[in-house]
Amino acid sequence: MVSRLPGCNSLVRFCQKLNRVKTLEADMMETTLNRCLSTLDLTLLGFGAMVGSGLYVLTGTVARNVAGPAIIISFICAGFASLLAALCYTEFSSRVPKTGSAYVFTYISMGEIWAFLIGWNVILEYVIGGAAVARAWSSYLDSIFDHKIQNFTETHIAKWNIPLLASSPDLLAAALLLVASIFVMCGARVASWLNHVFAAISMGVIVFILIFGFILADPKNFSAKEGGFAPFGFSGIMAGAATCFYAFVGFDVIATSCEEARNPQKAIPIAMAISLSLATLAYILVSAALTLMVPWHSLDPNSALADAFYKKGYAWAGFIVATGSICAMNTVILCSLFSVPRIAYAMSEDGLLFKIFARVNPVTKVPMFGIIVFGILMAILALVFDLESLVEFLSIGTLLAYTFVAASVIVLRYQTDKTNRSEPPQPNQSSPVQDGAGLKEYESFSDKLQLVERQKVAKERREPGQLRSSFEPFLPFLRGFAPGELVLVAAVFLVLCSVCLCSIMIFGISHLHLPLWAYILFIVLFAIGFLLSLFLIWIHEQHQKLTTFQVPLVPLIPGTSILINVFLMLKLNFLTWVRFSIWVAIGLLIYFGYGIWHSKESLKEPKPHNVVARYVVLPSGSLVETVQTVQPDSQDNMGMAEVTGEVSR
């Protein structure tokens, strides 16, 4: 029993290491990267990341197989769900203008191991996403030339039949990624300028699609004869919304780029709002034009827009659409190659990944090694792998990051301001009141009135995380919690209730085979728990001193975002969760093998004094621990020998 107690202390210290949070520098604008991106640069980065292959491939697939013309409603719902997550990202990016996106946001609020897992999964998201879009780009270009590129590759280079691998190597996709990596290595300005060119062409093609598409529109395609506006019903609209949600995942490239923004506090909210609005509007209008041009059931899922113009007899218009799709996919590839080295850079700067990823080229001011490594990795994946089975895997990492960011907004909003706590407060020499353990002296009666007024204001304006004074008479049992403690517990309970509620809604009837009364009962109970968690968070004081953008209606908006993200995660298939678990296990090996020992936060922790403990068993059977500090002087060895001798005796 005695020998186990030191092990318990070690376990506590180990858990504290896992949950230590990142301390921010005094000057948030200081960086080794180049702050050169304007609001326009960030807006086009976000727009290009969102309106890529999704506009030219996803619209046809969802309209043909999932929602029909009601894909318009699906995109509205998906845009609203994305807006909730984007608001949370905007608050953090404005408040903490550091590269790393969801990784940094989780690190400063939740803890180190959670931040590492989020960063690890976001890296995978960008790597697989860039490779998948490169393959889609290659396929789209190949379709323009009547698949002559693929036929040549299979005939003269290689062809194989291996599960999870493509039927032949995609040399075009691999070459595209390597060339794009070279441009990204030239610096943020070069990559941004190239993105401007492709985004401008893509936006011009979208305007062409809308004008010419609505000219060729036929309202009869929405008639009952063609299946009606919503042939798959409400369930089809919701399933379409779940799929369309992934078209908006690119907006976090703006958060990733905030350390290279000139004025992140102003530019990030504006860029996020404009890019998300433009992307949502583009998806809604293009979906309407597409389903009005041709009947939804006749769409080609692989190249719906180009094929629609071909069917209308305008082959030249189809060629323009194909050109726009290639330019749009180029922007997505650039955004992926732009973002993933910066996330690795942020993790390496904190000591959680290998130091080489934090090296910044002194000329171009970019993490050169990360761009090379991840560019080659994307090229290899695009070259040999059939990524269709892995595309859905992208969703789980993104949704998990959105969930943690939303929870982080709640936690930080109710935390006290910890900045400059290490500096001792400067005494106010002009104050007539001397606070402390000694006597309080007042020079006049007006000073007494000022003291009373200050005490009144202090009572009304409580610290963030404290129970509001208006609720104290009704909830006196909540007074004993430290500021922010109950909010953290309620936030964890909110996430658990969201998981349970969504699990019952999705699996209650089909997999758990619950009777109807039990199904309704569990939904009501977990819904009450979810609302109760929101209420317990809401009755505490929020942080009101922020001058940057703040998410409105906290905790309602972050809580709703958590619920939606959890619902969409549980809609993913079982194989996706298996792959996710394998990737997480690999990440944990890296963290416990390297990251936890090289974390810079461990260097900031106060060094413990050398102590020696004695355990004495009293006749009553209780155990008493006495601790003696060992002074680091010349007599240390002698003192240690004496104490050790006492313990051994």
Side-chain angles (χ1 to χ4, degrees), residues 270-331:
I270 296 175
M272 195 78 77
I274 295 177
S275 61
L276 190 60
S277 301
L278 288 177
T280 305
L281 189 63
Y283 276 116
I284 293 172
L285 293 179
V286 168
S287 299
L290 176 64
T291 51
L292 281 170
M293 273 198 297
V294 294
W296 61 271
H297 50 76
S298 65
L299 292 172
D300 182 3
N302 296 321
S303 56
L305 285 168
D307 185 68
F309 284 105
Y310 282 125
K311 288 179 179 178
K312 285 290 186 178
Y314 297 93
W316 59 271
F319 180 79
I320 293 177
V321 172
T323 303
S325 67
I326 290 174
C327 290
M329 293 180 196
N330 285 339
T331 61

Side-chain angles (χ1 to χ4, degrees), residues 185-317:
M185 283 190 291
C186 294
R189 288 302 306 164
V190 175
S192 176
W193 177 83
L194 200 60
N195 181 74
H196 285 189
V197 174
F198 290 131
I201 296 174
S202 178
M203 293 175 72
V205 172
I206 291 172
V207 172
F208 168 80
I209 292 172
L210 295 178
I211 295 175
F212 204 34
F214 280 114
I215 291 175
L216 300 176
D218 185 359
K220 293 181 181 179
N221 291 325
F222 282 5
S223 64
K225 181 180 178 181
E226 300 293 346
F229 179 75
F232 296 94
F234 179 77
S235 60
I237 294 175
M238 290 296 100
T243 305
C244 294
F245 178 82
Y246 309 127
F248 298 93
V249 299
F251 69 78
D252 62 343
V253 69
I254 299 177
T256 306
S257 311
C258 62
E259 192 167 338
E260 291 164 282
R262 295 174 187 167
N263 185 5
Q265 286 79 11
K266 178 182 178 182
I268 296 295
I270 296 175
M272 195 78 77
I274 295 177
S275 61
L276 190 60
S277 301
L278 288 177
T280 305
L281 189 63
Y283 276 116
I284 293 172
L285 293 179
V286 168
S287 299
L290 176 64
T291 51
L292 281 170
M293 273 198 297
V294 294
W296 61 271
H297 50 76
S298 65
L299 292 172
D300 182 3
N302 296 321
S303 56
L305 285 168
D307 185 68
F309 284 105
Y310 282 125
K311 288 179 179 178
K312 285 290 186 178
Y314 297 93
W316 59 271

Side-chain angles (χ1 to χ4, degrees), residues 339-354:
S339 299
V340 64
R342 283 155 176 79
I343 296 174
Y345 162 82
M347 298 176 70
S348 181
E349 274 281 287
D350 294 330
L352 302 186
L353 272 185
F354 308 109

Side-chain angles (χ1 to χ4, degrees), residues 51-62:
V51 183
S53 58
L55 186 71
Y56 298 93
V57 178
L58 190 65
T59 49
T61 303
V62 175

